[in-house]
């Protein structure tokens, strides 16, 4: 490797993309193309960076497998920045194994981190955890910049699983590594992640001020992530509108089985969740039949068929929530009656997203500042592309998102969601098993 290539590589490692380009901007040999691609990626010119890296990979000969593998890893990172989630992370894992066999541990770790971050964007927390499990941030010889990125990735995984203490520990190590690396962008990212933990993450809807019939004025309390974690581990019955689930952190202990807390996911059963949500909001009173029909079935003028359907759906919900509560019929509707907890009567708490609306998760993904394609958004949310397109059209009419490009090059952007963290709005249910 000649002196200019070496100097450019050192400049890139220090985060000096312009300094690297000054040394290799006029060269078209494969090593220079690869370094130019990485430099352009650092400057935010991702489409050009991807093209340069592909040219570099084609330019390396059959005997230069290590160099080609490095180009593959760099191109995968550019694809992640472009929110192109179509490439399978399994290919990156294979590349990481190949790099490790050839002694390039730094790039092997980089490949694993990119794959883990892609799984996180897609809400596949289990796969991301499996990739991150072997990583030790205190391992001697780990490059400082990679240690910072690894700490940030571990912190995101911990936050998505509401392990707040583990997230703080990972961020503390990431901050130390970023300071050693002396890369301003990494330091800024760590500080932003630390600040996000202090912002509201959800709203706790408190019982109304009425006479106990559920008709009072609703109040709310803003909760940070550690408050949410404590609430979900407590004895109260939580109806979680952030993750569309219902449960209590003490169910396993209450049953005396020693099992981990059990939560009922209603993410794929929106009618049942709407009914559970309305019953929980009305607690300790009852919810009117017509109000339940309007909320669950979107029917403004209910008739006997709607009331019959309501009884059927409530029967299904009653069977599902049996470990936590009873659903009783009253003179004017239905009431949620939680079973006793460890200390007697169990309270009911409604945990709502920090922002209202059916497109909250979509806005949370777009809030990272990256430009997303509709296909990537659909893949991350687990919805059809057509559903995402309709939601984006509604948000565009409201002025909350904007598009750039046309046809297949069209991408969607949204301003950052100021004032709170969108962690609980991102795809994937929390794992309590």
């Amino acid at each position: 490797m000649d002196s200019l290539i070496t100097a450019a590589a050192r400049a890139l490692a220090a985060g000096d993309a312009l300094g690297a380009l000054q040394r290799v901007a006029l060269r078209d040999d494969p090593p220079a193309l690869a370094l130019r691609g990485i430099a352009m990626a650092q400057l935010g010119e991702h489409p050009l960076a991807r093209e340069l890296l592909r040219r570099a990979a084609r330019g390396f000969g059959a005997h230069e497998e290590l160099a080609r593998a490095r180009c593959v890893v760099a191109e995968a990172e550019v694809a992640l920045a472009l929110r192109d989630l179509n490439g399978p992370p399994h290919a990156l894992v294979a590349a990481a194994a190949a790099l490790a066999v050839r002694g390039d541990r730094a790039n092997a770790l980089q490949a694993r981190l990119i794959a883990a971050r892609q799984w996180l964007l897609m809400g596949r927390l289990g796969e991301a955890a499996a990739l991150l499990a072997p990583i030790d941030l205190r391992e001697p010889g780990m490059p400082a910049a990679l240690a910072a990125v690894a700490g940030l990735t571990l912190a995101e995984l911990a936050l998505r699983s509401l392990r707040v203490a583990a997230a703080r520990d990972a961020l503390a190590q990431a901050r130390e590594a970023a300071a050693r690396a002396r890369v301003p962008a990494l330091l800024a990212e760590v500080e932003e992640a630390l600040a996000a933990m202090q912002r509201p993450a959800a709203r706790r809807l408190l019982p109304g001020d009425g006479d106990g019939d559920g008709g009072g004025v609703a109040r709310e309390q803003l909760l940070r992530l550690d408050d949410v974690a404590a609430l979900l581990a407590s004895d109260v019955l939580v109806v979680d509108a952030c993750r569309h689930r219902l449960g209590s952190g003490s169910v396993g202990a209450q049953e005396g089985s020693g099992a981990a807390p059990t939560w009922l996911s209603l993410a794929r059963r929106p009618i049942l969740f709407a009914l559970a949500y309305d019953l929980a909001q009305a607690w300790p009173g009852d919810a009117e039949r017509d109000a339940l029909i309007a909320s669950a079935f979107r029917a403004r003028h209910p008739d006997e068929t709607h009331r019959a359907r309501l009884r059927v759906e409530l029967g299904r919900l009653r069977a599902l929530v049996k470990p936590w509560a009873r659903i009783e019929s009253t003179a004017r509707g239905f009431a949620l009656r939680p079973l006793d907890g460890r200390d007697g009567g169990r309270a009911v708490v409604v945990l709502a997203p920090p922002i209202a609306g059916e497109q909250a998760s979509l806005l949370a993904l777009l809030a990272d500042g990256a430009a997303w394609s509709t296909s990537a958004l659909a893949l991350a949310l687990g919805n059809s592309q057509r559903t995402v397109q309709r939601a984006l059209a509604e948000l565009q009419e409201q002025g909350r998102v904007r598009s750039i490009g046309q046809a297949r090059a069209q991408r969607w952007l949204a301003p950052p969601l100021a004032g709170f963290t969108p962690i609980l709005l991102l795809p994937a249910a929390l794992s309590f098993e």
Side-chain angles (χ1 to χ4, degrees), residues 403-425:
S403 65
I404 55 175
Q406 298 291 331
R408 292 189 177 184
Q410 186 179 38
R411 296 293 184 271
W412 293 88
L413 296 162
L417 298 175
F420 66 89
T421 174
I423 285 292
L424 296 182
L425 300 178

Side-chain angles (χ1 to χ4, degrees), residues 237-239 246 275-287 314 317-318 321 324-330 333-339 346-350:
L237 174 61
V238 180
V239 177
L246 175 150
L275 293 173
Y277 185 82
D278 289 344
L279 290 170
Q281 278 194 299
W283 182 87
D286 56 358
L314 282 172
L317 181 62
R318 185 180 287 113
V321 304
W324 301 276
R326 303 186 307 275
I327 297 177
E328 297 179 352
S329 177
T330 66
F334 295 88
L336 188 66
R337 303 294 184 219
L339 304 180
R346 189 194 303 271
V348 178
V349 171
V350 177

Side-chain angles (χ1 to χ4, degrees), residues 10-216:
R10 287 175 178 169
L12 284 176
D16 184 10
L18 292 177
L21 285 175
Q22 287 177 352
R23 293 169 173 84
V24 295
L26 301 179
R27 293 177 51 168
D28 285 327
D29 52 299
L33 287 172
L35 292 173
R36 285 169 57 192
I38 296 171
M40 298 308 294
Q42 290 186 3
L43 293 172
E45 297 291 339
H46 296 121
L48 178 57
R50 173 183 273 186
E51 178 58 29
L52 288 169
L53 289 167
R54 287 177 176 173
R55 286 174 58 191
R58 290 194 298 266
F60 286 114
H63 61 287
E64 297 173 299
E65 293 184 6
L66 184 60
R68 282 193 294 175
R70 289 170 178 168
C71 288
V72 169
V73 173
E75 185 184 342
E77 186 166 17
V78 172
L80 184 67
L82 288 169
R83 295 300 184 260
D84 182 358
L85 306 181
N86 293 320
H90 303 293
L92 267 177
V93 176
L99 288 165
V101 167
R102 289 168 174 80
D104 190 350
R105 298 179 62 187
N107 278 301
L109 175 59
Q110 177 80 335
R112 296 179 70 88
L113 290 174
I114 295 169
R117 288 159 61 197
Q118 183 170 341
W119 283 130
L120 284 173
L121 280 177
M122 297 167 62
R124 306 281 290 275
L125 306 190
E127 288 86 344
L131 284 173
L132 296 173
I135 296 177
D136 181 6
L137 296 180
R138 296 183 174 88
E139 180 183 348
M142 180 183 293
L146 274 181
V149 174
L152 284 166
T153 309
L154 286 166
E156 182 179 353
L157 175 64
L159 287 175
R160 297 279 288 275
S161 305
L162 278 185
R163 293 181 289 112
V164 181
R168 284 201 176 97
D169 182 59
L171 286 175
Q173 296 180 63
R175 174 192 270 172
E176 179 184 348
R180 285 189 285 110
R182 297 181 180 178
V183 179
L186 274 178
L187 278 170
E189 191 171 351
V190 173
E191 294 301 330
E192 172 60 24
L194 286 167
M197 295 183 65
Q198 304 305 317
R199 299 180 190 136
R203 295 174 295 137
R204 175 179 176 176
L205 303 187
L206 303 172
D209 297 325
D211 56 3
D213 63 352

Side-chain angles (χ1 to χ4, degrees), residues 355-356 359-368 395 400-401 414-415 417 422 425:
I355 57 173
Q359 295 92 5
S361 294
L362 182 57
L363 286 172
L365 282 175
L366 291 171
D368 64 0
L395 291 172
R400 304 175 75 180
V401 302
L417 298 175
L425 300 178

Side-chain angles (χ1 to χ4, degrees), residues 231-233 238 240 245-249 261-265 324 432-433:
L231 180 65
L232 294 178
V238 180
D240 182 1
R245 60 178 65 221
L246 175 150
S248 172
T262 303
W263 292 75
L264 170 67
S265 175
W324 301 276
F432 292 98
E433 286 78 8

